[in-house]
Amino acid sequence: MSSATTPNTKELNNHVDDEQPTTRRIRHLSLHLNPPSTHNNQIELGACSSRAKVDVNAGQLSSYLRGKHRDVQERVFAYFNSRPDLQTPIEILKDDYRELCMRQLVGLVREAGIRPLGYVVEDPVKYFAIIEAVGSVDMSLGIKLGVQYSLWGGSVLNLGTKKHRDKYFEGIDNLEYLGCFAMTELHHGSNVQGIQTIATFDPVTDEFIITTPNDGAIKWWIGNAAVHGKFATVFAKLMLPEHDKNALSDMGVHAFIVPIRDLKTHKTLPGVEINDCGHKVGLNGVDNGALRFRDVRIPRENLLNRFGDVSRDGKYTSPLPTINKRFAATLGELVGGRVGLAYSSVGVLKIAATIAIRYSLLRQQFGPPKQPEISILDYQSQQHKLMPMLASTYAFHFATVHLIEKYAQMKKTHDEQLVADVHALSAGLKSYVTSYTAKSLSICREACGGHGYAAVNRFGSLRNDHDIFQTFEGDNTVLLQQVAGDLLKQYQEKFRGGTIAATWSYLRESMNTYLSQPNPVTARWEGEDHLRDPKFQLDAFRYRTSRLLQSAAVRLRKHTKTLGSFGAWNRCLNHLLTLAESHIETVILENFIEAIKRCPDANSRAALKLVCDLYALNLIWSDIGTYRNVDYVAPNKAKAIHKLADYLSFQVKNIAKELVDAFDLPDHVTRAPIGKQSPGEAYAEYTQFVGF
């Protein structure tokens, strides 16, 4: 029975008293198999099964997307558009690129008047808006700015105290004190607690002695170190002499300000050895270097002492009782870099999607016999490559906006639960978004054929520059394991009656529901209204995550008995990574749905709902085997999901131009001839570039 012939609920209820039991059962079964269309009170869209093209105004949608800090981004774009001498050429040598990148940063700060450091703590949302805009101009510049202000400046502000802020703030902000963030070592990256650099307190001279004890402890991949840096925040194990004993006590990893070059002559200081990490796959505007310290002495006051201090007589004090708590607090204050990477990665994806989709609308190949050629975006295969990607770009935008707003709230309140929530959410989104963007850059290149391979059209540089986003600020596989670990802790809290963090709230609300057997009736519902209902979509995402979580917990308990906790974790590792990804997808969908509710413009809301439906149903279809294996989705429903996802790709294609125009990226920012806003200019600029 089709939905068009489903009995009207009100009419049937009027005759309920006259029905025989058999007739009544048939009526109820009919309603289960063909649920009546329901109006969604949460998202006012009208009939979601409408086949008409959605009418969307790119300007109105852009205003909603770009938010309140659009003006500072426009200042960044306008400055570099007015300075063609500061625009990065297609071909440039490493050393020249580094000097250009430095001039770009100096110009931005001293000429354009963009002073980011104050925003790092006071207005992080504005700071991340600056980072996104600067990274859109040149990714090396975005990273160099981030090293100076997020990492070097952020470590001083977040790990130090008032004396450090008073001494260093102005010099960091105006670029007099260019600095580095020296955490990673040759032998240790993700395992920060395993670093080997030592800072030993000398009570006689009231100094710390910074030492690199072996080659494995050389600080490696340190941005700004090879050429420009004058200071470094050096992470090292704090060693204190024990009284009346010829021994040292390890107080754990702490951060120290270490001058590495003379402020006047720029010569390397005694005891400091600096070497160049050389040419990289990408980001060659950033001068990464390696640092070795040979008993470099620094004043005791150079210890960034917010979470631990040493007195003149060598006594250690801390507001936190253990090494692990101090270490967690230290890394928690540095999570802003991870937040910024997730947000910036979405900015890269916006550029790539804009170029690929505009070209796909422009490029015409083949067509019906004796008919004009058609746009390559009219081909279903091209839609399949690019439309779910466009939907994901929008989904990631709203999720990372939520993240930076939550981070800003954390910086104001210092609420412990919020700190834990931001730490887990930033780990998951940074990992998921940067991995997706890295894959998408290759897809965009391929979708643009041979012209996508031309360096001038940017996919190569975007791909190479962005690739490391998957590694720095936390390797993506390691970060997903952190998310899985947090989920398992929340799972335990659920059954102990404890408090569950906001990010995992659906575990508290309906874990038991999701772990129950699927309803065999709803598993068959296939109407478009039902499939496009946010409740169905969220329930499906949450069901999958809950199942993965419950089965992971069972497997870990089983294997721990024979393999121990470490061996059991490794045995279940792929399962745990899938669990983490599933949870992050759920969080992303939740935030997309909430963003649609908040959108004030009805047409923009309708467009976003269409995009959100594609995002959700495409992901459900991509893992349809999981849903089929547990009978959450019957075969007929699986087929309907596939069919509707394809149709939604077609519908999104019809407004793809407006959707990428809403990103509001001017041609001097995208800088790709095949991605010009005006189709008539694309081939003309391209031919001029090669000399015609």
Side-chain angles (χ1 to χ4, degrees):
M1 184 185 297
S2 70
S3 58
T5 60
T6 302
N8 179 276
T9 307
K10 186 175 181 180
E11 292 175 354
L12 283 170
N13 286 339
N14 289 337
H15 299 288
V16 69
D17 294 333
D18 301 328
E19 287 180 332
Q20 297 297 319
T22 302
T23 307
R24 188 180 300 113
R25 284 196 295 273
I26 292 173
R27 177 176 62 81
H28 284 301
L29 181 61
S30 172
L31 288 172
H32 277 303
L33 295 176
N34 299 281
S37 297
T38 56
H39 185 70
N40 188 331
N41 292 324
Q42 294 180 327
I43 304 176
E44 300 290 338
L45 290 176
C48 46
S49 60
S50 171
R51 298 307 196 191
K53 177 182 175 180
V54 174
D55 183 18
V56 56
N57 182 291
Q60 290 178 324
L61 180 56
S62 180
S63 295
Y64 181 58
L65 285 178
R66 295 193 60 186
K68 62 181 180 179
H69 294 306
R70 184 174 189 160
D71 57 334
V72 73
Q73 292 189 321
E74 296 294 345
R75 283 175 60 197
V76 172
F77 294 156
Y79 173 71
F80 285 104
N81 190 40
S82 71
R83 290 291 303 273
D85 58 306
L86 293 181
Q87 293 174 13
T88 307
I90 301 300
E91 298 181 50
I92 185 170
L93 297 173
K94 170 177 65 69
D95 291 345
D96 293 338
Y97 195 0
R98 289 173 172 182
E99 290 310 310
L100 172 62
C101 197
M102 188 67 230
R103 287 192 287 113
Q104 289 172 334
L105 182 58
V106 170
L108 181 71
V109 172
R110 297 179 182 173
E111 294 178 18
I114 304 292
R115 301 289 287 267
L117 187 59
Y119 305 131
V120 170
V121 175
E122 303 302 327
D123 191 354
V125 176
K126 186 170 186 177
Y127 174 74
F128 291 127
I130 294 170
I131 283 283
E132 181 190 26
V134 171
S136 298
V137 171
D138 187 291
M139 231 181 294
S140 283
L141 175 60
I143 296 301
K144 194 171 186 70
L145 185 147
V147 169
Q148 175 68 11
Y149 294 108
S150 291
L151 298 182
W152 155 235
S155 63
V156 172
L157 297 182
N158 293 316
L159 301 181
T161 49
K162 183 178 183 298
K163 64 182 180 183
H164 300 110
R165 183 185 180 99
D166 291 346
K167 182 175 181 178
Y168 292 100
F169 185 95
E170 184 60 28
I172 294 172
D173 200 32
N174 66 20
L175 301 178
E176 287 294 327
Y177 294 168
L178 282 160
C180 318
F181 184 82
M183 177 182 282
T184 298
E185 296 179 353
L186 180 61
H187 284 184
H188 288 89
S190 298
N191 182 14
V192 179
Q193 281 186 299
I195 64 175
Q196 300 174 66
T197 302
I198 295 170
T200 306
F201 180 62
D202 182 351
V204 176
T205 61
D206 197 26
E207 294 173 319
F208 288 105
I209 305 169
I210 310 297
T211 305
T212 303
N214 54 63
D215 286 353
I218 296 172
K219 296 296 182 181
W220 209 271
W221 294 124
I222 310 305
N224 275 354
V227 179
H228 299 124
K230 298 177 180 178
F231 295 87
T233 295
V234 176
F235 288 80
K237 290 183 178 180
L238 171 54
M239 310 298 289
L240 289 180
E242 294 187 14
H243 293 289
D244 303 323
K245 294 181 182 178
N246 188 22
L248 296 172
S249 292
D250 183 353
M251 308 309 296
V253 175
H254 288 64
F256 303 82
I257 296 176
V258 181
I260 60 174
R261 288 187 175 94
D262 187 278
L263 287 175
K264 294 181 179 179
T265 67
H266 204 62
K267 290 183 178 180
T268 304
L269 291 173
V272 179
E273 183 181 348
I274 305 175
N275 284 294
D276 196 325
C277 288
H279 198 274
K280 307 182 293 291
V281 170
L283 295 178
N284 281 298
V286 182
D287 52 314
N288 294 88
L291 301 173
R292 185 200 293 272
F293 302 100
R294 301 184 187 276
D295 297 337
V296 175
R297 290 179 173 267
I298 59 172
R300 179 169 53 90
E301 66 181 18
N302 283 25
L303 167 66
L304 294 171
N305 61 338
R306 179 178 171 189
F307 297 117
D309 203 0
V310 176
S311 65
R312 176 65 185 86
D313 59 357
K315 291 183 180 179
Y316 184 83
T317 57
S318 173
L320 301 171
T322 66
I323 286 178
N324 286 340
K325 286 188 177 295
R326 292 193 292 270
F327 180 73
T330 297
L331 291 193
E333 286 298 324
L334 302 175
V335 75
R338 191 175 294 166
V339 173
L341 277 184
Y343 190 63
S344 296
S345 183
V346 181
V348 176
L349 187 55
K350 288 175 184 175
I351 292 173
T354 297
I355 296 169
I357 289 169
R358 283 179 178 164
Y359 176 73
S360 296
L361 288 165
L362 164 72
R363 183 74 166 180
Q364 295 180 335
Q365 294 289 290
F366 308 108
K370 299 182 180 180
Q371 296 291 323
E373 291 184 307
I374 65 171
S375 158
I376 61 174
L377 198 56
D378 286 328
Y379 289 100
Q380 190 181 58
S381 58
Q382 193 79 343
Q383 294 167 22
H384 181 71
K385 288 177 183 177
L386 298 178
M387 294 305 97
M389 183 193 301
L390 179 57
S392 295
T393 307
Y394 269 82
F396 298 166
H397 168 83
F398 292 117
T400 54
V401 165
H402 169 74
L403 173 61
I404 63 175
E405 289 173 347
K406 203 160 195 173
Y407 174 80
Q409 184 183 357
M410 181 199 80
K411 297 300 290 182
K412 288 181 180 178
T413 65
H414 302 288
D415 178 76
E416 286 188 12
Q417 190 57 65
L418 198 55
V419 170
D421 208 25
V422 169
H423 183 78
L425 186 59
S426 63
L429 284 174
K430 183 269 182 186
S431 175
Y432 191 91
V433 170
T434 58
S435 292
Y436 186 95
T437 298
K439 296 181 180 73
S440 297
L441 288 165
S442 290
I443 293 171
C444 287
R445 202 296 303 157
E446 179 189 346
C448 294
H451 294 317
Y453 197 62
V456 69
N457 289 319
R458 294 198 66 197
F459 292 121
S461 60
L462 288 172
R463 182 173 58 191
N464 290 347
D465 286 346
H466 177 276
D467 193 64
I468 194 62
F469 280 42
Q470 300 173 92
T471 302
F472 58 27
E473 293 293 333
D475 173 84
N476 282 357
T477 302
V478 173
L479 294 182
L480 285 178
Q481 290 180 70
Q482 290 181 15
V483 174
D486 284 329
L487 277 166
L488 288 162
K489 289 178 184 176
Q490 300 295 334
Y491 179 77
Q492 290 176 335
E493 288 295 323
K494 159 69 183 177
F495 293 105
R496 291 173 181 167
T499 302
I500 294 183
T503 299
W504 332 109
S505 60
Y506 65 87
L507 300 179
R508 177 185 64 238
E509 294 167 358
S510 42
M511 185 75 170
N512 292 334
T513 301
Y514 295 128
L515 292 180
S516 62
Q517 289 298 313
N519 186 328
V521 177
T522 56
R524 297 182 57 83
W525 287 355
E526 59 180 270
E528 183 175 333
D529 287 350
H530 167 66
L531 297 181
R532 296 187 66 180
D533 185 342
K535 185 180 185 306
F536 158 70
Q537 296 164 4
L538 265 180
D539 280 349
F541 277 49
R542 290 168 172 173
Y543 179 85
R544 176 178 182 242
T545 304
S546 299
R547 280 281 170 183
L548 286 165
L549 177 55
Q550 192 266 346
S551 57
V554 170
R555 289 187 66 203
L556 284 169
R557 279 197 298 268
K558 172 187 172 184
H559 291 303
T560 298
K561 295 174 182 177
T562 56
L563 301 175
S565 58
F566 184 86
W569 187 270
N570 194 37
R571 174 67 65 88
C572 301
L573 187 52
N574 289 336
H575 185 157
L576 294 166
L577 297 177
T578 302
L579 163 65
E581 289 176 341
S582 178
H583 169 69
I584 293 302
E585 288 168 354
T586 303
V587 171
I588 291 169
L589 179 59
E590 287 172 342
N591 281 284
F592 202 164
I593 291 169
E594 289 301 314
I596 296 170
K597 294 179 192 177
R598 294 192 302 269
C599 183
D601 175 62
N603 287 342
S604 297
R605 201 159 59 244
L608 291 174
K609 178 63 170 64
L610 174 65
V611 173
C612 184
D613 289 340
L614 174 58
Y615 172 77
L617 293 177
N618 181 70
L619 278 176
I620 292 172
W621 172 249
S622 69
D623 196 32
I624 199 66
T626 295
Y627 295 105
R628 286 289 300 116
N629 285 343
V630 294
D631 293 323
Y632 189 83
V633 169
N636 66 307
K637 188 170 187 173
K639 182 178 180 181
I641 290 170
H642 188 198
K643 183 178 179 181
L644 182 56
D646 280 348
Y647 178 72
L648 292 174
S649 281
F650 169 75
Q651 287 283 72
V652 171
K653 182 270 297 185
N654 288 336
I655 58 170
K657 180 184 183 301
E658 291 83 356
L659 290 172
V660 296
D661 285 351
F663 294 148
D664 200 17
L665 294 166
D667 289 342
H668 62 265
V669 172
T670 56
R671 299 200 316 278
I674 63 171
K676 300 280 283 187
Q677 283 182 295
S678 173
E681 299 176 9
Y683 283 131
E685 183 174 319
Y686 198 16
T687 53
Q688 288 172 11
F689 174 78
V690 299
F692 287 102

